[in-house]
């Protein structure tokens, strides 16, 4: 960028304040308005986070100058968050990967220069094909792992190769919730539509989407507050969400389950539940009634350190203020953080079942998305070879998770390091950086052990530094797709994602790259006629529209608003919300969320609880390389209570060591009243060591280095169906660096 942030702020003017730190980015708006006449508007979809906000891109003389929310979109409603607006800087970041690259330095590791040289796409494809085919023949197809989000085109390639090893990050993210909602309500996963705007009472067990600038959730939350909703937040930290709450309860980490169980106890014993809803739409009430007897507020008070009267008050308010909702997204206390988190997710379903706000306005809504056919139904493949081996990560032993096709992480890198049950030789990686894995240093060791690694990325990430072949993906603003409004779907609506400018470099779209690799490997039969355009067209056709119609749409959207009709049947074996989960029972898990403690306890050696969060201006380890974002939040911090800091002789701004049983990191201390004295918090996403990321390099540390990687056996012993990585279930010590 040619102008400094200060100049940009001046340019943007005092009145142009946008959502959460958006002001400095709003300078683009001024530029756009100056020459409004020359400006072309392209409708597309934000892909910075999974939110999928539809947006309008303002393009002048071939250059993108401004991004705004699309006002007709259910999700963005005309507003983008700070991360979405940052996509402009990301698109034009000179550090981007510009063409395919080949590693010439056989040595790999942190601080080792890969000595990449530019190659053609043809050379890249033929090298990948030759190597993958070699490993397939010599060590079996299972020796090739895919590390990427589940995606139809890539899943087809994995199946055509015959490898069962399709690994994704989700058991650090949302599989806890996914499995529990699947078993008790939806038959598939967690619904991502929440009608917070119409809720009268919002209860958060660590939910803090306003702190993450999650657009649609934050907008709806703020609307509810404007309409007078009451908000109660349980979080060991004083979060941005807590600043808006009527009541903030700095709960002891990992004890929310006790709080939730006691709420169920109060609501049932005091007859406060919605009898009609419970009767018509749930099963298992009698079992819950019996099960919940010992879990009184007095009992929970001892565990949570919250007065029994407060627990009782929250329970009564939750039952009395209809509709009441438990705000939850992915990694809050019901996410993959503690050994008991999946039980908390279940207790939350029970609580919302008792007050009747599942698939009702003001509550969690099973999204009314357009139904897109699977790739295999549009382009029936020749028979796939049967995988000859079980997955290396042991996921078959977790059948409810296996059904979701998502996970698993730590068990993967342990398997690679140990070479058991068989060696993994090669990997194809996309949209995953090394910091996503718990115990990242050992993940790096595992990846170093691979003989051949292909990475698709936009930025020269740490994963890229370990690659043998680098394939440059289009930046999301250069790509094409259709989006089904998964993150807020009150009615079926499709948004078009299209290139806002011509690709700047020699990049290709991911869905075009995958069939090309398949064809180069001699697996062309699986990719006959398979193209992103043809597939998108089939998805639109299935919904009664076409690409031509969508392209002609004046707002880039298809689908009329429809009145909300509440569901009468849920997708469980009984067709009801299963408070007592028959699916859990069937697979040998607790059918009711009996109290279990979190795993790690504070000790003399590790006297502090550890929690994580992430700043609003980044998405995980992405966006740190943007000049303005990194200026707003230059490095991650260890949030520590004033009293605790004093005892440790730590002042605000000092560097401290945070040490866990597996590792230690150095971070800046942020001394604050806004956290429990027995807890510290370090934000995620920092510690970039790739020199290609010139602006992010060397800033902060990776908090995940402190987190132990579990084995499949440890996960089995915990009898947790979700393979949770228990990302906050550890204790640490802190001392001056
Ligand atoms: N800006 C930004 N937005 C993002 C992302 C991003 O990286 N940056 N990532 C996106 C993705 S993929 C995800 S999964 C989400 C993640 O966002 P969140 O789901 O908010 O997860 P975290 O940021 O890990 O924050 C966890 C919260 O749980 C609290 N917590 C920890 N332990 C306990 C406990 O025992 N009890 C209670 N009550 N609270 C506890 C922490 O204090 C913290 O507030 O955000 C999404 N949005
Ligand atoms: N320690 C710790 N670990 C965590 C978490 C935590 O809080 N703490 N959070 C967990 C959670 S919730 C999640 S969702 C995961 C996220 O983990 P990741 O999905 O790995 O997130 P990032 O670290 O942002 O890395 C994403 C990579 O994909 C690249 N990328 C982004 N967009 C594109 C694209 O369109 N195409 C291609 N080819 N590449 C792209 C980025 O440049 C970056 O290198 O991390 C998990 N791991
Ligand atoms: S919430 Fe922000 S980053 Fe996510 S899709 Fe919407 S605008 Fe983009
Ligand atoms: Mo996530």
């Amino acid at each position: 960028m040619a102008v400094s942030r200060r100049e940009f702020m001046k340019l943007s003017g005092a009145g142009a304040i946008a959502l959460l730190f958006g002001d400095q980015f709003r300078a683009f708006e001024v530029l756009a308005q100056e020459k409004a006449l020359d400006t072309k508007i392209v409708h597309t979809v934000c892909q910075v986070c999974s939110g999928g906000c539809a947006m309008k891109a303002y393009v002048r003389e071939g250059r993108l100058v401004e991004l705004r929310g699309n006002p007709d979109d259910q999700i963005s409603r005309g507003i983008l968050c700070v991360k979405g607006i940052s996509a402009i800087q990301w698109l034009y970041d000179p550090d981007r990967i510009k063409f395919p690259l080949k590693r010439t330095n056989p040595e790999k590791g942190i601080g080792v220069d890969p000595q990449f040289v530019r190659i053609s796409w043809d050379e890249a494809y033929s090298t990948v094909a030759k190597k993958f085919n070699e490993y397939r023949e010599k060590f079996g197809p299972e020796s090739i792992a895919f590390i990427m989000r589940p995606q139809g085109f890539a899943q087809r390639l994995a199946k055509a190769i015959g490898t069962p090893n399709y690994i994704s990050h989700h058991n650090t993210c949302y599989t806890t919730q996914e499995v529990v909602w699947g078993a008790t309500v939806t038959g598939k996963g967690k619904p991502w539509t929440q009608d917070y705007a119409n809720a009268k009472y919002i209860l958060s067990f660590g939910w803090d989407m306003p702190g993450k600038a999650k657009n649609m959730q934050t907008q709806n939350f703020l609307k509810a507050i404007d309409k007078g909703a009451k908000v109660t937040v349980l979080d060991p930290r004083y979060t941005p969400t807590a600043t808006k709450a009527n009541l903030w309860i700095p709960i002891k980490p990992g004890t929310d389950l006790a709080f939730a169980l006691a709420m169920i106890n109060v609501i049932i014993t005091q007859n406060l539940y919605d009898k009609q809803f419970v009767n018509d739409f749930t099963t298992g009430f009698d079992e819950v009634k019996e099960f919940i007897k010992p879990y009184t507020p007095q009992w929970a008070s001892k565990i949570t350190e919250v007065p029994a009267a407060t627990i009782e008050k929250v329970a009564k308010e939750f039952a009395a203020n209809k509709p009441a909702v438990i705000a939850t997204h992915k990694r809050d206390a019901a996410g993959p953080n503690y050994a008991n988190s999946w039980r908390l997710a279940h207790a939350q379903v029970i609580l919302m079942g008792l007050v009747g706000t599942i698939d009702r306005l003001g509550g969690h809504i099973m999204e009314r998305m357009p139904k897109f056919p699977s790739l295999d139904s549009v382009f029936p493949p020749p028979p796939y070879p049967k995988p000859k081996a079980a997955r290396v990560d042991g996921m078959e032993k977790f059948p409810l998770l296996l059904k979701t096709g998502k996970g698993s992480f730590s068990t993967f890198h342990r398997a690679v390091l140990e070479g058991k049950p068989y060696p993994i030789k090669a990997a194809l990686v996309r949209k995953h950086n090394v910091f996503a894995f718990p115990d990242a240093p050992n993940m790096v060791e595992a990846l170093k052990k691979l003989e051949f690694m292909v990475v698709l990325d936009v930025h020269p990430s740490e994963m890229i530094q370990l690659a043998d072949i680098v394939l440059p993906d289009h930046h999301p603003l250069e790509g094409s797709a259709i989006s089904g409004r998964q993150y807020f779907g009150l009615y079926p609506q499709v948004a078009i994602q299209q290139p806002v400018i011509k690709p700047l470099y020699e990049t290709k779209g991911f869905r075009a790259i995958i069939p090309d690799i398949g064809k180069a490997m001699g697996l062309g039969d699986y990719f006959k006629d398979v193209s992103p355009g043809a597939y998108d067209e089939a998805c639109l056709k299935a919904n009664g529209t076409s690409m031509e119609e969508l392209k002609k749409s004046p707002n880039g959207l298809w689908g009329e608003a429809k009145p909300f009709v509440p569901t009468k049947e849920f997708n469980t074996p009984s067709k009801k919300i299963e408070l007592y989960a028959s699916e859990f029972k069937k697979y040998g898990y607790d059918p009711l969320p009996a109290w279990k403690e979190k795993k790690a306890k504070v000790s003399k050696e590790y006297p502090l609880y550890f929690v994580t969060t992430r700043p609003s201006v980044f998405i995980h380890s992405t966006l740190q390389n943007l000049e303005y974002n990194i200026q707003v939040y230059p490095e991650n911090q260890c949030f520590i209570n004033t009293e605790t800091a004093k005892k440790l002789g730590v002042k605000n701004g000092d560097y401290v060591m945070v040490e866990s049983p597996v590792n230690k990191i150095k971070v800046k201390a942020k001394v604050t009243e806004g956290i429990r004295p027995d807890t510290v918090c370090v934000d995620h996403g920092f510690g970039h060591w790739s020199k290609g990321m010139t602006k992010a390099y060397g800033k902060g540390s990776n908090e995940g280095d402190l987190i132990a990687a579990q084995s499949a056996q440890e996960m089995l012993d915990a009898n947790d169906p979700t393979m949770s990585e228990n990302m906050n279930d550890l204790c640490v010590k802190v001392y001056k660096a």
Side-chain angles (χ1 to χ4, degrees):
M1 296 280 160
V3 271
S4 71
R5 173 176 161 239
R6 187 186 299 254
E7 285 172 305
F8 255 83
M9 289 183 80
K10 256 197 276 165
L11 195 64
S12 67
I17 305 282
L19 186 72
L20 288 163
F21 300 118
D23 52 349
Q24 52 261 53
F25 306 90
R26 278 290 159 194
F28 295 107
E29 182 180 331
V30 178
L31 293 176
Q33 282 164 357
E34 274 174 6
K35 290 242 180 138
L37 285 180
D38 308 337
T39 307
K40 180 176 89 169
I41 295 177
V42 184
H43 289 104
T44 191
V45 176
C46 180
Q47 297 283 318
V48 175
C49 86
S50 40
C53 296
M55 58 189 185
K56 300 202 288 187
Y58 292 72
V59 180
R60 212 178 68 223
E61 288 162 8
R63 192 172 168 92
L64 172 65
V65 292
E66 160 81 352
L67 289 171
R68 285 191 191 191
N70 181 336
D72 301 323
D73 171 31
Q74 292 181 82
I75 301 180
S76 77
R77 298 176 197 182
I79 295 177
L80 297 180
C81 85
V82 58
K83 293 162 286 164
I85 293 169
S86 306
I88 304 182
Q89 284 182 77
W90 188 18
L91 175 70
Y92 289 116
D93 184 352
D95 288 344
R96 270 184 60 190
I97 301 168
K98 303 180 177 70
F99 20 72
L101 302 168
K102 175 173 81 179
R103 178 183 209 95
T104 58
N105 184 356
E107 198 197 329
K108 287 184 183 177
I110 298 177
V112 177
D113 180 356
Q115 295 170 8
F116 284 128
V117 294
R118 178 178 183 171
I119 54 170
S120 66
W121 274 100
D122 280 348
E123 184 182 344
Y125 284 145
S126 59
T127 312
V128 173
K130 189 168 152 268
K131 284 289 206 179
F132 278 5
N133 278 337
E134 253 172 50
Y135 292 118
R136 200 155 61 115
E137 274 152 38
K138 251 196 188 152
F139 301 97
E142 62 276 10
S143 66
I144 304 168
F146 281 53
I147 302 177
M148 48 178 82
R149 284 155 170 78
Q151 196 281 335
F153 284 62
Q155 282 164 323
R156 173 172 290 218
L157 179 59
K159 284 191 228 160
I161 291 174
T163 176
N165 292 315
Y166 199 109
I167 312 290
S168 74
H169 71 282
H170 295 98
N171 65 331
T172 64
C173 179
Y174 66 84
T175 49
T176 305
Q177 321 236 21
E178 185 91 340
V179 168
V180 171
W181 278 82
T184 53
V185 183
T186 65
K188 41 184 186 70
K190 181 176 181 286
W192 300 110
T193 300
Q194 296 95 16
D195 183 35
Y196 296 142
N198 287 311
K200 290 279 185 301
Y201 193 87
I202 299 177
L203 174 60
S204 150
F205 290 91
W207 174 84
D208 179 32
M209 283 300 109
K212 316 292 148 65
K214 192 85 170 182
N215 196 2
M216 68 307 294
Q217 296 197 22
T218 308
Q219 286 191 46
N220 288 326
F221 173 71
L222 295 175
K223 259 189 220 153
I225 291 176
D226 280 350
K227 293 200 302 188
K230 270 196 157 180
V231 178
T232 294
V233 171
L234 287 82
D235 200 308
R237 302 186 304 121
Y238 188 58
T239 58
T241 308
T243 66
K244 295 278 178 195
N246 303 79
L247 178 65
W248 168 49
I249 302 171
I251 190 156
K252 189 168 164 183
T255 66
D256 302 61
L257 173 63
F259 192 104
L261 290 172
M263 281 181 69
I264 299 172
N265 176 296
V266 172
I267 291 171
I268 292 183
T269 54
Q270 300 192 23
N271 246 323
L272 306 175
Y273 55 96
D274 181 331
K275 281 154 206 93
Q276 190 76 48
F277 190 89
V278 167
N279 186 58
D280 295 349
F281 300 113
T282 74
T283 61
F285 177 78
D286 292 338
E287 286 89 343
V288 178
K289 192 173 172 184
E290 196 50 38
F291 151 86
I292 209 69
K293 279 182 182 160
Y295 300 124
T296 61
Q298 290 70 23
W299 163 83
S301 174
K302 290 195 200 98
I303 295 170
T304 57
E305 298 175 3
V306 180
T310 307
I311 303 175
E312 189 169 342
K313 175 178 124 84
V314 173
K316 284 178 167 168
E317 286 177 356
F318 185 75
N321 292 282
K322 284 175 197 261
V325 67
I326 295 173
T328 172
H329 184 57
K330 293 180 175 173
R331 281 190 32 82
D332 44 59
N337 288 324
Y338 301 104
N340 59 18
S341 289
W342 72 281
R343 296 166 185 272
L344 174 62
H346 188 179
Q348 293 181 347
V349 168
I350 296 176
L351 276 167
M352 288 187 279
L354 289 176
V355 300
T357 48
I358 296 178
D359 206 64
R360 296 297 179 265
L361 288 177
H364 289 258
I365 309 277
M366 306 205 295
E367 52 266 294
R368 273 65 173 159
M369 277 179 68
K371 294 210 172 19
F372 293 151
S374 69
L375 188 68
D376 282 4
S377 68
V378 177
F379 305 106
Y384 291 120
K386 266 220 163 67
K388 291 193 200 78
R391 292 172 62 103
V392 282
D393 61 3
M395 208 160 97
E396 283 95 349
K397 295 177 190 126
F398 300 83
L400 290 170
L401 178 64
L402 189 70
K403 272 210 291 198
T404 71
K406 293 164 186 166
S408 140
F409 252 17
S410 60
T411 55
F412 170 74
H413 76 247
R414 286 177 76 120
V416 174
L417 280 174
E418 290 165 13
K420 284 184 199 153
Y422 49 82
I424 296 286
K425 294 285 177 186
L428 182 63
V429 186
R430 178 181 188 254
K431 262 189 136 176
H432 278 74
N433 201 2
V434 294
F435 302 127
F437 291 75
D439 192 1
N442 268 317
M443 178 60 188
V444 173
E445 289 309 308
L447 296 176
K448 274 164 64 180
K449 222 181 143 196
L450 299 181
E451 288 174 15
F452 184 67
M453 189 160 119
V454 184
V455 180
L456 287 83
D457 208 316
V458 176
H459 253 155
S461 61
E462 284 63 29
M463 202 56 108
I464 288 285
Q465 301 308 308
L466 300 166
D468 294 280
I469 294 284
V470 175
L471 302 178
D473 219 338
H474 282 332
H475 182 278
L477 288 168
E478 297 165 333
S480 315
I482 50 170
S483 158
R485 327 290 60 227
Q486 187 181 24
Y487 271 67
F488 195 89
L490 273 181
Y491 59 90
Q493 188 185 44
V494 181
I496 190 163
Q497 184 197 342
Q498 49 191 342
V500 304
I501 56 162
K502 281 205 199 95
L504 290 172
Y505 309 111
E506 225 178 78
T507 57
K508 284 184 198 270
F510 167 60
R511 294 188 301 167
I513 295 172
I514 290 291
D516 284 350
I517 295 177
K519 286 172 193 162
M521 287 182 72
L523 299 168
D525 286 354
Y526 290 94
F527 293 98
K528 236 174 120 232
D529 305 323
V530 175
S531 76
Y535 177 59
D536 291 348
E537 194 68 79
C539 291
L540 293 171
K541 194 173 166 204
N543 287 280
T545 183
S546 66
M547 193 53 89
E548 201 189 339
E549 196 181 354
L550 192 56
K551 280 197 170 147
K552 273 198 220 140
S553 151
N555 56 10
L557 298 166
W558 170 89
E560 296 297 316
K562 287 199 176 83
F564 178 77
V565 182
T567 303
K568 295 216 167 73
E569 277 195 352
F570 295 86
N571 203 4
T572 58
S574 62
K575 301 282 174 233
K576 300 204 173 190
I577 297 164
E578 297 204 354
L579 307 179
Y580 176 97
S582 66
E583 281 283 285
F584 285 160
K585 177 141 172 65
K586 183 171 149 195
Y587 289 100
Y589 302 107
D590 268 2
L592 286 165
W595 168 248
K596 279 267 175 343
E597 281 193 55
K598 82 194 263 287
K599 211 172 43 179
K601 296 190 177 64
V602 285
S603 62
K604 238 187 169 160
E605 199 177 358
Y606 300 105
L608 296 164
Y609 294 109
F610 171 84
V611 299
T612 63
T613 186
R614 57 203 72 213
S616 64
V617 289
F618 309 112
I619 177 85
H620 313 295
S621 77
T622 308
L623 306 188
Q624 280 85 358
N625 205 50
L626 308 186
E627 197 177 322
Y628 300 158
N629 303 50
I630 197 77
Q631 281 188 41
V632 169
Y633 207 94
E635 63 190 292
N636 60 340
Q637 311 183 78
C638 173
F639 296 83
I640 182 163
N641 183 275
T642 317
E643 197 184 295
T644 314
K646 207 167 152 195
K647 277 190 204 148
L648 295 171
V650 169
K651 287 196 210 62
N652 193 37
D654 282 352
Y655 279 91
V656 291
M657 301 303 297
V658 183
E659 186 172 332
S660 77
V662 295
N663 215 328
K664 57 184 171 195
I665 57 168
K666 187 174 161 183
V667 266
K668 206 177 210 177
K670 174 78 188 165
V671 177
T672 168
E673 292 291 316
I675 190 161
R676 286 172 62 96
D678 61 1
T679 304
V680 291
C681 174
V682 182
D683 9 45
H684 172 62
F686 288 81
H688 285 282
W689 48 263
S690 162
K691 287 194 174 146
M693 308 274 282
T694 55
K695 285 145 283 182
Y697 176 75
K699 309 245 163 80
S701 302
N702 176 30
E703 110 294 4
D705 290 2
L706 300 171
I707 303 170
Q710 296 173 83
S711 65
Q713 192 54 49
E714 281 170 296
M715 289 172 168
L716 275 173
D717 292 346
N719 209 25
D720 172 342
T722 74
M723 282 190 111
S724 162
E725 290 288 0
N726 296 341
M727 305 288 280
N728 286 352
D729 209 335
L730 62 141
C731 296
V732 296
K733 62 176 154 195
V734 173
Y735 47 93
K736 239 180 124 166

